[in-house]
Amino acid sequence: MAIRTRFAPSPTGFLHVGGARTALFCWLQARKEAGTFILRIEDTDLERSTEASVEAILQGMAWLGLQEDEGPYYQSQRFERYTEVLEQLRSQGLAYPCTCSKERLEALRAEQMAAGLKPRYDGRCRDREVLDEGVAPVMRFRNPTDGEVVFHDQVRGPVRFANEELDDLVIARPDGSPTYNFCVVVDDMDMEISLVIRGDDHINNTPRQINIYHALGATPPDFAHVPMILGEDGARLSKRHGAVSVLQYRELGYLPHALLNYLVRLGWSHGDQEVFTREEMIELFDIEAVNRKAAAFDHEKLKWLNQHWMKTLPPEEVAVELQPQLERLGLDPAQGPPLEDLISVQAERVQTLVELVEASRWCFEDFEDFDVGAAKKHLRPVAAEPLQALRERLQALDDWTPEALDVAVKAVVAELEIGFGKLAQPLRVALTGAGMSPSIDQTLWLVGKGRSLERMERALAFIAARAAQA
Ligand code: GLU
């Protein structure tokens, strides 16, 4: 049977990078084996689940291009099914109602802790015929009391738990609503999941879930528990290490593929290869090769990959991400050069799309004033003649390409027998307002003919006014 994996986030917050990496691993393994990738929203905790979080998860997944083959399924729409399975377990004596009060359970816990024991339910209601009245019971799963649960984890290898260590888990709350460990088993069984890939914070749930599968007469899936992501200081990755939400990375100007490429390498490697296309990831990834040790998030490496992919992906693809970024930062994409041209020039000079926008404002809007320092240094009377000469030449130029522009600039430099910088630097200040920009032919190309001529005229007027003052 073809492999079936699922990503099963609880919608109690944004989609964080750890979740995204789990989703990526599930998606890759399914793609690799021509299987099915399922998305399931685990919203049984009605108090903590929010619509906004569901939306953020779906948006994050779509942005990353981790398209589900089935779903999204919602646990909140499956309560009838859970109730049915609960009834089945209860009628078979595999689940039982428990009326132990909170106070009793707390006292029991305190007693066990004081005696140096692991706190666990003592099974008081397990075989009671008569229950306390006036207390809404929870439902507990009758866990086997001896033997052990053994499974082969695809990341961690063999894992064993003694049943003695597991107590009778609450599978339905007093209001009848089912709990996580129960729903997850019913879902994974009904959805015929063959491989559960999830964070290793769930490893202690796995033996309990395996016992529930057995009680239901179902074969448990295979499991792969992936280690958590750490911050650069070795503590669990959190907000204080920087951005942790996937959509935040979009806002910061990262390409979805750069983030995926970064995440696939967190805990997995293929020799010393760092750069992976989507196709290479699918071909080379293997969940069994994931390292069981936790990996640390490295923002610098992510930036490096982002620049790599800005330079390497087809500019049309990068443009899809750049356009909303320009709008968000207050620029009108229609007022500048084709985005593909801009990307081809600027990608190698910046690490994020936000940096790209900030380094390219002069392509989209006129600047208010020349940068004082740059103007003082470069817009001097001696610059007037070369600027004027070039302006005349450019006026007659129809072929507005970097190559033709380069020829024009060099021709003026040769004609006036001046150093290249004597024209290029004043021209740069004239075109962008400041002293830093791509090569001068590319700068002219991006600014465009009409605007370049206007801005050169403005610089010439500035120089004339300055000469008049002196
Ligand atoms: N909903 C669980 C979580 O977000 C994941 C459950 C699972 O993958 O089994 O942590």
Side-chain angles (χ1 to χ4, degrees):
M1 207 185 79
I3 182 180
R4 288 171 66 83
T5 66
R6 85 319 190 257
F7 176 52
S10 303
T12 53
F14 42 75
L15 175 63
H16 57 87
V17 288
R21 183 186 57 159
T22 303
L24 172 64
F25 286 2
C26 294
W27 181 85
L28 283 174
Q29 199 67 26
R31 290 283 71 80
K32 181 185 179 66
E33 298 185 39
T36 304
F37 170 62
I38 292 155
L39 178 61
R40 181 172 76 224
I41 304 293
E42 304 213 313
D43 54 354
T44 43
D45 187 340
L46 297 174
E47 261 164 46
R48 293 180 59 224
S49 301
T50 66
E51 203 45 55
S53 168
V54 171
E55 202 38 55
I57 291 168
L58 297 181
Q59 261 189 37
M61 292 290 285
W63 180 65
L64 290 170
L66 300 178
Q67 176 67 46
E68 66 274 10
D69 303 303
E70 264 181 41
Y73 294 114
Y74 292 85
Q75 287 189 327
S76 57
Q77 292 169 8
R78 291 176 43 80
F79 279 115
E80 263 176 47
R81 173 65 181 146
Y82 303 135
T83 309
E84 178 185 61
V85 181
L86 270 173
E87 279 311 313
Q88 178 193 329
L89 284 180
R90 187 178 176 178
S91 68
Q92 294 171 331
L94 296 166
Y96 63 89
C98 164
T99 51
C100 288
S101 66
K102 226 182 176 167
E103 293 71 33
R104 174 174 190 273
L105 295 174
E106 269 162 22
L108 177 67
R109 188 185 162 85
E111 214 173 282
Q112 288 168 333
M113 301 272 278
L117 300 169
K118 201 169 140 189
R120 58 200 298 280
Y121 179 59
D122 61 357
R124 173 172 171 263
C125 293
R126 202 171 156 105
D127 298 305
R128 277 174 93 197
E129 303 274 314
V130 188
L131 293 169
D132 303 328
E133 280 189 33
V135 188
V138 298
M139 197 66 76
R140 286 187 187 270
F141 174 66
R142 190 183 294 272
N143 200 77
T145 48
D146 52 14
E148 36 171 33
V149 181
V150 182
F151 64 97
H152 180 86
D153 189 281
Q154 295 195 357
V155 172
R156 298 164 70 111
V159 180
R160 332 171 76 89
F161 283 88
N163 272 320
E164 251 183 355
E165 309 223 344
L166 310 172
D167 58 2
D168 289 349
L169 187 74
V170 173
I171 56 177
R173 303 183 184 92
D175 65 0
S177 64
T179 59
Y180 157 72
N181 273 299
F182 178 69
C183 298
V184 107
V185 171
V186 176
D187 287 349
D188 286 339
M189 176 179 78
D190 287 356
M191 296 170 195
E192 299 182 319
I193 301 302
S194 61
L195 172 62
V196 168
I197 299 174
R198 62 183 169 200
D200 67 2
D201 48 334
H202 284 287
I203 191 114
N204 290 325
N205 289 323
T206 305
R208 300 170 178 284
Q209 293 176 7
I210 289 176
N211 282 331
I212 300 178
Y213 279 101
H214 289 145
L216 293 171
T219 310
D222 290 331
F223 292 93
H225 289 91
V226 301
M228 61 181 160
I229 301 178
L230 305 177
E232 272 146 55
D233 58 358
R236 192 185 177 128
L237 186 72
S238 70
K239 280 185 194 162
R240 77 191 160 79
H241 296 107
V244 281
S245 128
V246 165
L247 293 178
Q248 227 175 325
Y249 279 96
R250 175 173 71 177
E251 193 160 314
L252 290 169
Y254 289 86
L255 293 172
H257 185 67
L259 188 55
L260 289 180
N261 187 163
Y262 178 70
L263 290 176
V264 81
R265 281 283 291 105
L266 264 185
W268 173 78
S269 57
H270 178 73
D272 51 15
Q273 185 172 344
E274 292 293 356
V275 170
F276 294 85
T277 63
R278 229 169 154 82
E279 293 67 34
E280 284 172 319
M281 282 191 211
I282 293 172
E283 189 193 321
L284 300 171
F285 180 76
D286 182 6
I287 189 69
E288 294 194 67
V290 169
N291 200 308
R292 49 176 303 169
K293 282 210 304 279
F297 201 91
D298 177 349
H299 287 91
E300 286 310 312
K301 192 167 147 191
L302 171 58
K303 276 192 186 159
W304 176 81
L305 277 169
N306 199 52
Q307 182 183 53
H308 172 84
W309 286 111
M310 284 196 294
K311 290 192 295 189
T312 311
L313 283 174
E316 313 82 80
E317 217 174 293
V318 180
V320 171
E321 296 297 320
L322 179 59
Q323 163 129 2
Q325 212 48 270
L326 283 163
E327 287 162 358
R328 203 175 63 80
L329 296 168
L331 295 175
D332 178 358
Q335 297 301 315
L339 300 189
E340 291 77 7
D341 294 351
L342 180 64
I343 291 160
S344 72
V345 171
Q346 293 284 46
E348 64 184 55
R349 306 168 59 89
V350 295
Q351 288 190 302
T352 67
L353 294 169
V354 170
E355 287 175 14
L356 197 158
V357 172
E358 293 308 341
S360 310
R361 286 196 169 268
W362 46 271
C363 294
F364 296 90
E365 62 183 12
D366 291 326
F367 46 88
E368 300 264 316
D369 292 304
F370 295 108
D371 172 78
V372 177
K376 189 163 179 221
K377 188 155 172 219
H378 299 295
L379 297 186
R380 288 186 293 146
V382 356
E385 190 189 2
L387 276 179
Q388 187 58 48
L390 180 67
R391 191 173 182 282
E392 276 160 26
R393 198 176 272 268
L394 295 184
Q395 234 162 353
L397 185 75
D398 288 325
D399 180 22
W400 201 264
T401 60
E403 299 73 28
L405 290 162
D406 185 52
V407 170
V409 173
K410 286 187 176 146
V412 172
V413 165
E415 193 179 283
L416 300 180
E417 293 179 19
I418 54 175
F420 187 76
K422 293 271 186 279
L423 171 54
Q425 270 313 95
L427 180 55
R428 180 166 277 122
V429 180
L431 294 172
T432 70
M436 293 267 284
S437 78
S439 71
I440 204 64
D441 53 318
Q442 290 176 321
T443 303
L444 280 163
W445 180 52
L446 291 176
V447 172
K449 184 169 177 176
R451 236 182 210 162
S452 293
L453 295 176
E454 265 167 45
R455 291 185 186 175
M456 288 166 81
E457 195 167 83
R458 179 178 168 194
L460 285 164
F462 179 91
I463 294 173
R466 187 171 164 185
Q469 261 175 22

